[in-house]
Amino acid sequence: MWLADHLRSRCYLCQWYAIATDSSTNFPTNIATHPSATTQTLSHSSVSPISLSPSSSTQKSLLCAQCQQQVTWLPPLFTIDINPAFTLSVQSATYYDYPIRQAISAFKHHEDMTKLPVLVHALRQLPKPTGCHEQNSFIVPMPTTTARLQRRGFDPVTILTHYLSQHWQIPIWRGVARVDDTLSQQGLSRAERLANLEDAFTLISPPPKAHLLLFDDVATTGASLKSLANTLHTADQRLHLSAYALAHGNQVT
């Protein structure tokens, strides 16, 4: 990622145009000649449950202006009912649509690290939560099981959480473990996802008295976030919880 931030000059998505100088630039609306307009192929535990990523360097855009404009950033918040008295708000960086969907799949299921800069760029679209800082907040990454980690060889959410922590300058808290006998959520219906995740998480250290920012890579139905939030809320109803994801749902066209 250091090379991506400092040396690379071409867009990490289309591999064609020069990257934008600032991801907040007002980009042109005409992208008809852009290559992506004609193709949709994208060439557990630590000693301490708390860690803080090193200070972030200058974070330039990693996409060109045309690709930046092609993606819909920061969809409206959606909510998950945890219990009758508690609703969890979830903010995603973008929709789970092309081209982010393909980048996530390549990174998550095929260990394609060339897609990591695209996903880090997406994470950098998430604004730092208002009032949250390293003294009063912690990011809680969605835990994985030991068996899944051994099978896959790496944990995509842990890697992405590192870059989110770096972006927000908020530490990570790893005080929750996932029970090994749950199934993968992929391919399950909403009802099956909810049933599969009952009692899926357990605390391995008391939650800090702080604002806990739950993070998952993809929030399809929100079942995993709901179960994680319920575990934390049950442990301490005074906790302030909110959730974030790299991608969620599909954009209605």
Side-chain angles (χ1 to χ4, degrees):
M1 283 306 302
W2 185 89
L3 294 176
D5 272 326
H6 296 279
L7 298 182
R8 173 87 175 202
S9 62
R10 293 292 173 183
C11 175
Y12 274 90
L13 194 55
C14 69
Q15 310 289 330
W16 186 261
Y17 287 112
I19 58 175
T21 55
D22 187 339
S23 62
S24 62
T25 304
N26 292 321
F27 301 115
T29 57
N30 182 11
I31 60 171
T33 59
H34 189 260
S36 61
T38 57
T39 180
Q40 291 196 352
T41 302
L42 287 173
S43 354
H44 206 243
S45 118
S46 59
V47 175
S48 169
I50 296 172
S51 64
L52 177 63
S53 298
S55 179
S56 173
S57 58
T58 301
Q59 295 179 345
K60 68 179 181 181
S61 173
L62 300 176
L63 304 186
C64 66
Q66 290 89 340
C67 282
Q68 174 74 14
Q69 187 186 45
Q70 182 185 19
V71 179
T72 300
W73 302 109
L74 297 180
L77 285 169
F78 69 99
T79 58
I80 302 171
D81 292 329
I82 307 302
N83 58 48
F86 175 44
T87 299
L88 181 72
S89 64
V90 184
Q91 174 67 68
S92 66
T94 186
Y95 290 104
Y96 191 47
D97 282 332
Y98 172 83
I100 300 299
R101 180 172 188 155
Q102 283 73 12
I104 291 174
S105 178
F107 172 69
K108 187 172 182 177
H109 301 298
H110 303 289
E111 295 186 54
D112 186 350
M113 292 299 169
T114 66
K115 299 300 185 289
L116 180 58
V118 176
L119 304 184
V120 171
H121 178 89
L123 286 176
R124 291 176 180 176
Q125 310 310 303
L126 286 169
K128 188 174 185 177
T130 303
C132 292
H133 51 78
E134 63 181 33
Q135 300 299 323
N136 68 1
S137 304
F138 294 94
I139 301 173
V140 183
M142 181 61 63
T144 189
T145 65
T146 301
R148 203 168 299 162
L149 181 59
Q150 291 174 340
R151 183 171 62 252
R152 181 174 279 161
F154 80 120
D155 182 14
V157 173
T158 292
I159 295 174
L160 293 171
T161 304
H162 164 81
Y163 288 103
L164 184 61
S165 173
Q166 187 180 66
H167 172 50
W168 283 347
Q169 282 299 285
I170 291 176
I172 301 168
W173 180 69
R174 297 183 178 89
V176 186
R178 191 160 188 159
V179 178
D180 273 326
D181 58 2
T182 58
L183 300 173
S184 170
Q185 292 289 87
Q186 192 170 10
L188 300 181
S189 68
R190 177 175 175 79
E192 290 170 333
R193 287 170 182 259
L194 291 171
N196 181 50
L197 288 171
E198 285 188 34
D199 303 319
F201 302 99
T202 182
L203 291 177
I204 54 179
S205 65
K209 310 297 183 184
H211 189 156
L212 300 185
L213 312 169
L214 315 186
F215 174 73
D216 202 0
D217 53 358
V218 179
T220 307
T221 64
S224 296
L225 288 171
K226 177 175 181 175
S227 181
L228 179 57
N230 186 57
T231 298
L232 292 166
H233 184 70
T234 301
D236 188 347
Q237 297 185 7
R238 297 167 297 177
L239 291 174
H240 186 186
L241 305 176
S242 56
Y244 298 84
L246 182 62
H248 163 69
N250 300 96
Q251 187 171 11
V252 178
T253 56

